[in-house]
């Protein structure tokens, strides 16, 4: 397990005063203004953002449609299309919630937030080996993470944004909530935090290419699944604690779930470990399938290089 070369981060706002950054600053200002709106209004606006994306983001709609057809073959055609549309709406709300996570204090949402299973975190921390929080790319990603830090002290691994200024805003916001925002390739830093008995948020549920993977089932479909989770747990002795966070359906509010650490993990069998990780995340997704990031090409990497591209227009 090697540490990849990291990009240089510059989170000083004074580095982004040149006019070429002004469009990004305008976007950040719009996010800040949106975050000041009442939550119900933000949810309504988020749904409208999702409706617009559903109508005009043809490529993302096609990817979402393919994923849902692969993962929920038991649904009728009407149910599949309803889930596609609901997913766009849920992720539209998630876009609005990014501003809440970055520019509002999570304490204001405590009255409408409930945490379940916090005792599993306390028990795992008592072992003194750190915790890898096994998360997923749910539409509540940023706000759910901010809410989590009201209950536990944690660090986060993130994929840095391609826009350096947006990355600076994101990193500074997250480091106000988390202890450290580690670059997703900084495995050395991750292991250091675990050695210090820290909790680190970590997600494995995307397609990261062909390197360091096995093809484990995800909703019954072979998916390129990284083996790094097993390596990290083996080297650090940490507990791997699944957790998720969801938006309530009928009234503004949020639920955070912590589960018992994965048993017999790592097992020494990469396929068995990856299958367990995928199944664990799958079980959480099934609670609120519309609140998952189905716009990602989860099955982009195929078991054989000769296998057809599932997301090509011809595949449909």
């Amino acid at each position: 397990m090697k540490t990849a070369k990291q990009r240089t981060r510059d989170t000083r706002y004074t580095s982004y005063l040149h006019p070429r950054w002004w469009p990004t600053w305008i976007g950040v200002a719009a996010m800040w203004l949106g975050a000041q709106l009442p939550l119900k209004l933000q949810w309504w606006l988020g749904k409208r953002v999702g409706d617009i994306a559903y109508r005009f983001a043809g490529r993302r709609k096609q990817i979402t449609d393919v994923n849902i057809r692969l993962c929920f073959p038991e649904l009728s055609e009407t149910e599949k299309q309803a889930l596609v549309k609901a997913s766009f709406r849920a992720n539209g709300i998630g876009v609005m919630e990014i501003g809440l996570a970055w520019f509002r204090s999570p304490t204001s949402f405590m009255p409408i937030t409930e945490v379940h299973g916090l005792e599993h975190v306390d028990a795992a921390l008592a072992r003194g080996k750190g915790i890898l929080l096994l998360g997923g790319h749910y539409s509540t990603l940023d706000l759910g993470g901010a809410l989590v830090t009201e209950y536990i002290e944690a660090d986060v691994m993130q994929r840095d944004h391609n826009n350096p200024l947006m990355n600076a805003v994101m990193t500074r916001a997250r480091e106000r909530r988390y202890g450290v925002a580690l670059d997703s390739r900084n495995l050395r830093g991750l292991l250091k935090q675990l050695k210090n008995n820290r909790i680190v948020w970590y997600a494995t549920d995307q397609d990261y290419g062909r390197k360091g993977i096995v093809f484990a089932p995800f909703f019954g479909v072979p998916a390129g699944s990284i083996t790094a989770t097993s390596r990290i747990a083996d080297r650090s002795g940490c507990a791997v604690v699944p957790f998720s966070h969801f938006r309530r359906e009928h009234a503004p509010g949020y639920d955070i779930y912590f589960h018992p650490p994965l048993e017999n993990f790592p097992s020494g069998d990469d396929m068995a470990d990856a299958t367990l990780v995928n199944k664990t995340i799958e079980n959480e997704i099934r609670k609120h399938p519309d609140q998952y990031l189905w716009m990602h090409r989860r099955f982009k990497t195929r078991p054989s290089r000769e296998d057809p591209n599932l997301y090509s227009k011809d595949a449909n």
Side-chain angles (χ1 to χ4, degrees):
M1 185 172 61
K2 297 180 179 179
T3 301
K5 185 178 180 181
Q6 300 170 55
R7 289 177 289 185
T8 301
R9 273 186 193 167
D10 186 351
T11 59
R12 299 170 299 175
Y13 285 160
T14 53
S15 299
Y16 304 100
L17 301 180
H18 190 277
R20 71 189 181 97
W21 297 111
W22 290 1
T24 303
W25 279 119
I26 292 172
V28 171
M31 291 175 65
W32 184 91
L33 288 171
Q36 313 313 309
L37 298 173
L39 186 59
K40 285 185 177 181
L41 178 56
Q42 291 194 50
W43 279 24
W44 184 87
L45 289 172
K47 289 178 181 179
R48 304 293 79 79
V49 168
D51 288 340
I52 293 170
Y54 177 82
R55 182 172 181 181
F56 294 105
R59 177 58 174 158
R60 288 298 168 185
K61 182 178 177 182
Q62 186 240 352
I63 291 169
T64 303
D65 184 77
V66 169
N67 284 334
I68 286 174
R69 288 179 182 278
L70 289 170
C71 295
F72 300 96
E74 72 279 7
L75 297 182
S76 68
E77 184 63 27
T78 300
E79 290 170 330
K80 289 173 184 173
Q81 291 308 310
L83 182 52
V84 171
K85 188 170 186 178
S87 177
F88 270 84
R89 285 188 165 188
N91 281 278
I93 296 173
V95 170
M96 299 297 297
E97 288 171 339
I98 292 173
L100 294 177
W102 291 3
F103 304 119
R104 291 269 297 271
S105 170
T107 56
S108 59
F109 303 105
M110 288 301 96
I112 58 171
T113 300
E114 186 173 355
V115 64
H116 311 265
L118 192 59
E119 67 274 11
H120 302 306
V121 176
D122 295 335
L125 272 182
R127 298 174 60 247
K129 298 288 187 178
I131 295 176
L132 204 62
L133 273 185
L134 184 63
H137 286 79
Y138 312 107
S139 66
T140 50
L141 183 71
D142 270 275
L143 182 56
L147 294 173
V148 162
T149 61
E150 288 294 297
Y151 300 96
I152 61 174
E153 291 186 10
D155 304 310
V156 63
M157 293 202 81
Q158 68 178 33
R159 180 190 178 280
D160 282 356
H161 201 286
N162 292 330
N163 181 314
L165 170 54
M166 191 61 74
N167 189 66
V169 175
M170 177 179 73
T171 301
R172 287 168 66 118
R174 288 179 174 175
E175 288 191 335
R176 285 196 296 271
R177 314 289 183 225
Y178 299 94
V180 179
L182 296 163
D183 184 279
S184 59
R185 293 163 292 185
N186 188 1
L187 295 178
R188 184 177 292 113
L190 168 61
L191 291 170
K192 179 181 178 181
Q193 295 305 101
L194 293 173
K195 184 178 180 180
N196 292 331
N197 199 30
R198 293 285 295 175
I199 303 171
V200 184
W201 186 96
Y202 181 79
T204 67
D205 58 324
Q206 294 198 325
D207 190 315
Y208 299 102
R210 194 168 291 276
K211 186 176 180 181
I213 64 172
V214 294
F215 287 93
F218 184 64
F219 284 88
V221 183
S225 307
I226 62 173
T227 60
T229 312
S230 300
R231 305 285 180 270
I232 293 166
D234 182 55
R235 288 183 58 172
S236 66
C238 71
V240 179
V241 174
F243 93 115
S244 58
H245 32 82
F246 297 105
R247 189 181 305 113
R248 292 175 187 162
E249 294 182 359
H250 304 297
Y254 301 90
D255 287 284
I256 299 169
Y257 298 91
F258 296 102
H259 298 280
L262 298 183
E263 295 182 359
N264 190 32
F265 190 93
S267 67
D269 182 331
D270 285 343
M271 177 60 81
D273 290 348
T275 298
L276 176 59
V277 167
N278 286 354
K279 185 63 177 176
T280 300
I281 296 172
E282 177 185 329
N283 288 342
E284 295 306 291
I285 294 170
R286 288 186 182 277
K287 292 177 179 177
H288 297 279
D290 60 310
Q291 294 188 38
Y292 189 63
L293 187 65
W294 295 111
M295 292 80 176
H296 171 71
R297 291 183 295 166
R298 183 64 185 89
F299 308 106
K300 175 180 64 175
T301 304
R302 305 299 311 283
S304 171
R305 295 180 186 274
E306 306 303 318
D307 289 338
N309 179 1
L310 294 173
Y311 300 103
S312 68
K313 294 181 180 180
D314 294 339
N316 297 321

